[in-house]
Amino acid sequence: MSETILTAENLKFRYDSEQPGYALNGVSMQVGRGEFVAVLGANGCGKSTLLNLIPRFYDVTGGSVTVDGIDVRNMPQAQLHDLLGYVPQKGVLFSGTIDSNLKFGGEHITDADVKKAAAIAQATEFIDAKPEGYASPIAQGGSNVSGGQKQRVAIARALAMDPEVLLFDEPTSALDPEMVKEVLNVIRELTRSGMTILIVTHEMSFAR
């Protein structure tokens, strides 16, 4: 059995302490280093909430989340975020260039890191097709690139950080069927790289 890198123990969470009931109640899991885990479920069942507790976008109401054996509440935010790569439901890009977006995770990210991440995320072809390549401008929100391109850049940005754990939050929810195939291919390729991946999704394709 692989070494455990991520655990959730008896998780409880609610968004409003004044309201009865929990968004999550009694959830536990263990994820081994290098494993691929898909959390499947219908819309509104708490999948994204579970994922968002790992990087501490919210703190648990009860129970605990640990990464590398340390409760995330006892870990400095900078240290925690160095361990985690996060790809949101919709690829959010910032005004600047493709290069500045891919290096958004920190000053330590090199040109070589960017190109390697873009290749894994299958973003190299469309980047190289642009006259300015990695220096190509990105409008605020990524309005000047397609949905599939935006999502691949978002994946590459997370990969460029070289995280221990890569978190995907419904990465295909805003894409049309053709773009879904593109992103699925990227994520399947990542499963062969040995990176620890946790994905929340309603896509049954990830369970096959």
Side-chain angles (χ1 to χ4, degrees), residues 19 22 37 108 117 121 139 149 153 192:
Q19 293 182 347
Y22 291 92
V37 176
H108 65 284
Q149 291 170 350
V153 171
R192 303 185 184 100

Side-chain angles (χ1 to χ4, degrees), residues 89-102:
Q89 289 188 26
K90 298 180 181 179
V92 178
L93 303 185
F94 310 103
S95 59
T97 64
I98 292 175
D99 186 71
S100 66
N101 269 272
L102 294 179

Side-chain angles (χ1 to χ4, degrees), residues 47-155:
K47 303 186 304 299
S48 293
T49 299
L50 171 63
L51 198 76
N52 289 336
L53 293 174
I54 299 169
R56 288 191 69 195
F57 294 156
Y58 306 102
D59 273 336
V60 298
T61 304
S64 65
V65 176
T66 65
V67 177
D68 265 353
I70 302 173
D71 190 309
V72 296
R73 293 168 293 185
N74 298 327
M75 191 182 296
Q77 282 279 343
Q79 179 184 351
L80 177 61
H81 292 168
D82 281 346
L83 295 172
L84 305 173
Y86 179 81
V87 181
Q89 289 188 26
K90 298 180 181 179
V92 178
L93 303 185
F94 310 103
S95 59
T97 64
I98 292 175
D99 186 71
S100 66
N101 269 272
L102 294 179
K103 291 179 179 175
F104 186 78
E107 296 181 356
H108 65 284
I109 298 173
T110 66
D111 290 345
D113 293 331
V114 162
K115 290 182 178 179
K116 179 181 178 181
I120 295 172
Q122 298 184 21
T124 303
E125 183 177 354
F126 89 82
I127 294 172
D128 287 347
K130 292 180 174 291
E132 296 174 82
Y134 287 85
S136 298
I138 294 290
Q140 183 65 34
S143 59
N144 60 334
V145 292
S146 72
Q149 291 170 350
K150 190 186 302 184
Q151 197 70 328
R152 280 179 282 172
V153 171
I155 293 170

Side-chain angles (χ1 to χ4, degrees), residues 160-180:
M161 297 171 58
D162 193 26
E164 292 196 30
V165 181
L166 190 55
L167 307 172
F168 286 95
D169 185 6
E170 294 276 13
T172 61
S173 63
L175 304 181
D176 63 37
E178 193 57 39
M179 291 177 184
V180 167

